[in-house]
Amino acid sequence: MRTQVAIIGAGPAGLLLSHLLAQGGVESVVLETRSEAYVAARIRAGILEHSSVELLEAVGLGARIRTEGDHHRGIYLQWPGERHHLDFVDLAGRSVWVYGQTEVQKDLIAARAADDQEIHYEVSDVALHEVESDRPYVTFTDKSGSTQRLDCDVIAGCDGSFGPSRHAVPAAKTFERVYPYSWFGILADVAPSTDELIYAWHPNGFALHSMRSATVSRLYLQVPNGTDPESWSDDRIWEELATRLGHGQNGWKLTPGPITDKSVLPMRSYVQTPMRHGNLFLAGDAAHIVPPTGAKGLNLAIADVALLSKALIAQLREKNPALAERYSDDAQRRVWRCTHFSWWMTTMLHTSGDPFDAELQLSQLRWVATSRAGATGLAENYAGLPIGY
Ligand code: FAD
Ligand code: DHB
């Protein structure tokens, strides 16, 4: 097999890259270890930044965001006794959309199918070869068990944090922070008890009230690392959410409902640089991981491939390597901005058990929620900077 760009991974980064390349007249083949059904059903992120929505709309992927997504002007920040609304539109002239990663993934799968994109699902033994040469290639075992070789001009490593691509960059510099807590996430068949997301600091730990639709709520609790989701009964989950989210505070009520999914997500920050080695380019979680508190992971993957697609189209169609040469540096500016913001939100909202930390957090929350300067900083970062920042 031969193509211009071999894309490893059919998550949001890989499929959107393939879509953007096709629109620019560059062909690709996508390789994915999981099945199409698995990839489409994976429950992950839920918030799209302003620029992500603009980009998806500009490339024909915005129709369902408009009809099924939920436009949010801002978020609530709270701690015991107080809840403050931060209006991003007023503060920063930008907003966000609640639209699940599963829906983004389904839109991408449908768009690639309509374009007859070649995607090989359920492959194994994916290996990258000769990435420093002009003739790199990828070998893999296809679904039927046959060994295959895919020759290409460029390999795009969009295979997330567990894929092989990032290990194919020798002498990469890595930065890592592991946090001493995890998120326990639930999905519930109940109307959200709030119009916009609530990020809550509480002495028992952080809690977040998010949503997927008018009838489906998504909620998270800070829990110790290693927590087994099955060790929490549904009643205990709802009781703890009610406590941390302030049930009864100024008459506000949290309505419980049937829980349809439970999972525990460990949290870490990770950045690998450079994001290019020879003719291998990394994008999305393959190059960086953020803790989920700032809702940046999916948006960062989208921003990476917005830059990478332009760079590869210029390199492969116009024989102009300038953007490809700058890709890693350009992408890393936003990566570090989002890494800082995600770390900042995480450390402001998760309790450590240390009373000094708790007072600092409460002081910072009060300032962010009540000073226009403080609130604007959060709003600008959360609603997201323009692509190319
Ligand atoms: P991925 O979505 O991970 O896609 C990579 C793809 O590569 C996968 O389909 C994988 O199966 C495939 N792959 C792996 N190895 C190989 C291989 N050897 N060969 C071929 N294919 C391979 N972000 C938020 O902002 N908020 C959240 O609430 C949130 N929750 C999350 C929960 C979980 C459990 C996880 C893992 C992530 C979560 N994230 C969240 C992060 C967000 O989902 C990611 O940042 C986003 O999916 C990145 O997209 P990606 O395409 O780079 O990587
Ligand atoms: C969701 C996830 C996040 O990480 C976040 O900050 C906000 C919302 C969600 O899954 O809905």
Side-chain angles (χ1 to χ4, degrees), residues 155-190:
I155 300 174
C158 301
D159 44 358
S161 49
F162 302 109
S165 297
R166 66 187 172 87
H167 303 292
V169 178
K173 205 165 171 189
T174 61
F175 304 83
E176 185 166 27
R177 171 78 35 104
V178 176
Y179 300 89
Y181 31 70
S182 301
W183 272 19
F184 187 173
I186 63 155
L187 205 59
D189 279 338
V190 59

Side-chain angles (χ1 to χ4, degrees), residues 8-315:
I8 307 179
L15 288 189
L16 181 58
L17 178 63
S18 155
H19 184 85
L20 297 174
L21 289 175
Q23 291 197 335
V26 170
E27 63 174 45
S28 63
V29 169
V30 184
L31 307 177
E32 167 61 52
T33 43
R34 303 288 195 163
S35 68
E36 182 181 313
Y38 180 92
V39 167
R42 228 168 8 194
I43 299 162
R44 287 184 169 179
I47 303 291
L48 290 179
E49 288 178 3
H50 198 97
S51 303
S52 301
V53 175
E54 273 178 354
L55 174 81
L56 293 170
E57 285 188 327
V59 299
L61 294 165
R64 287 178 67 240
I65 301 176
R66 290 277 161 195
T67 55
E68 290 173 40
D70 199 7
H71 179 245
H72 283 199
R73 289 181 65 97
I75 57 164
Y76 296 96
L77 261 192
Q78 82 164 45
W79 54 96
E82 295 202 38
R83 178 177 296 171
H84 296 261
H85 186 247
L86 273 63
D87 188 316
F88 301 160
V89 180
D90 172 37
L91 291 161
R94 298 164 80 75
S95 55
V96 294
W97 286 77
V98 170
Y99 191 68
Q101 185 167 330
T102 43
E103 303 311 306
V104 174
Q105 188 80 40
K106 283 179 206 155
D107 294 345
L108 284 165
I109 290 172
R112 297 322 299 128
D115 217 11
D116 286 330
Q117 172 66 42
E118 191 175 337
I119 306 177
H120 296 264
Y121 287 101
E122 296 177 66
V123 304
S124 51
D125 310 320
V126 173
L128 297 80
H129 307 271
E130 312 272 344
V131 299
E132 284 157 33
S133 79
D134 292 341
R135 294 263 164 262
Y137 63 98
V138 182
T139 52
F140 63 99
T141 305
D142 71 17
K143 194 177 166 180
S144 68
S146 309
T147 303
Q148 301 281 0
R149 170 175 166 143
L150 174 59
D151 288 284
C152 55
D153 298 317
V154 162
I155 300 174
C158 301
D159 44 358
S161 49
F162 302 109
S165 297
R166 66 187 172 87
H167 303 292
V169 178
K173 205 165 171 189
T174 61
F175 304 83
E176 185 166 27
R177 171 78 35 104
V178 176
Y179 300 89
Y181 31 70
S182 301
W183 272 19
F184 187 173
I186 63 155
L187 205 59
D189 279 338
V190 59
S193 299
T194 178
D195 57 340
E196 295 192 341
L197 274 61
I198 305 171
Y199 284 80
W201 183 98
H202 189 277
N204 291 7
F206 170 70
L208 170 63
H209 191 330
S210 182
M211 59 204 70
R212 285 292 177 275
S213 70
T215 54
V216 176
S217 296
R218 176 88 170 135
L219 300 109
Y220 298 96
L221 287 167
Q222 174 187 345
V223 291
N225 286 341
T227 297
D228 172 8
E230 295 315 318
S231 68
W232 281 63
S233 70
D234 291 9
D235 285 348
R236 181 176 172 208
I237 293 169
W238 284 114
E239 272 167 33
E240 192 58 26
L241 284 166
T243 302
R244 297 191 196 179
L245 289 167
H247 179 85
Q249 189 173 305
N250 296 321
W252 181 79
K253 288 190 175 56
L254 176 69
T255 309
I259 295 175
T260 57
D261 188 82
K262 293 182 193 175
S263 60
V264 170
L265 172 68
M267 294 166 75
R268 68 184 178 124
S269 298
Y270 175 87
V271 179
Q272 173 166 328
T273 186
M275 288 164 67
R276 175 197 187 171
H277 178 65
N279 277 311
L280 166 65
F281 295 79
L282 302 179
D285 278 17
H288 40 73
I289 304 288
V290 288
T293 325
K296 289 291 164 219
L298 169 60
N299 293 292
L300 212 40
I302 291 173
D304 279 355
V305 298
L307 292 183
L308 181 56
S309 58
K310 282 204 181 98
L312 295 182
I313 292 164
Q315 174 169 321

